Amino acid sequence: MASNRTFTMIKPDAFEAGNSGAILKMIEEAGFKIVAMKATKLTPELAGKFYEVHQERPFYADLCKYMSSGPIIAAILEKDNAVEDFRALIGATNPANAAEGTIRKIFAKSIEANAVHGSDSDENAAIEGSFYFSQTERVL
Ligand code: CMP
């Protein structure tokens, strides 16, 4: 059975542009409950650890630099079929390929500065959520 939690980050481009509120509104209106949320700024080292699965990719160094370039909002979200439904809400990684009405289509600037992150599996949602939030910080 699919887990009912996923993990997201509002990335530096969207935060800097003042789009966090509009993005969170879309997330809530799509039926996701915010279970935990934190505004923070990644160091290059932490960004590198979060994205270490991509460390062999040509875009890894730039991605770490970009993800540590400004504040982000990290959140754990709850909804039935959370991972799959959230990926549908945010759209394709490259905003040029994202469907109309998706968060990335509306707010993303480029394939790298693509406004939001969404976990790609239940397993990664749990790993990524615990990267930011310990059990003691879990409020609901
Ligand atoms: P995200 O869903 O957070 O997961 C990995 C991130 O790497 C992705 O969003 C983009 O920000 C970035 N990314 C993926 N593919 C590319 C690419 N081809 N060029 C630059 N950045 C990329």
Side-chain angles (χ1 to χ4, degrees):
M1 199 186 82
S3 153
N4 64 351
R5 285 190 173 190
T6 191
F7 172 79
T8 188
M9 287 185 286
I10 296 176
K11 298 188 179 184
D13 61 296
F15 189 103
E16 170 64 22
N19 291 326
S20 302
I23 291 172
L24 290 169
K25 185 166 189 276
M26 282 183 73
I27 290 171
E28 289 192 317
E29 284 179 352
F32 291 88
K33 272 201 165 17
I34 297 167
V35 176
M37 186 162 70
K38 182 187 260 182
T40 186
K41 186 167 184 265
L42 293 170
T43 61
E45 292 71 30
L46 276 175
K49 195 160 165 19
F50 185 86
Y51 281 117
E52 73 186 351
V53 61
H54 295 303
Q55 63 189 330
E56 304 304 329
R57 310 286 287 275
F59 57 81
Y60 178 69
D62 281 346
L63 177 63
C64 296
K65 196 168 158 201
Y66 158 66
M67 284 302 297
S68 55
S69 67
I72 60 146
I73 291 176
I76 295 174
L77 306 173
E78 201 164 82
K79 182 185 182 295
D80 285 349
N81 202 36
V83 166
E84 201 180 315
D85 287 2
F86 192 69
R87 287 174 74 79
L89 177 67
I90 65 179
T93 303
N94 186 345
N97 302 327
E100 289 299 330
T102 58
I103 291 175
R104 283 171 171 159
K105 186 70 177 184
I106 297 168
F107 296 108
K109 294 196 164 71
S110 67
I111 190 169
E112 178 181 78
N114 63 355
V116 285
H117 169 79
S119 303
D120 63 3
S121 65
D122 290 348
E123 189 193 1
N124 283 337
I127 293 169
E128 293 170 0
S130 59
F131 183 88
Y132 284 94
F133 302 97
S134 73
Q135 287 299 315
T136 52
E137 286 177 284
R138 196 170 144 170
V139 290
L140 295 175

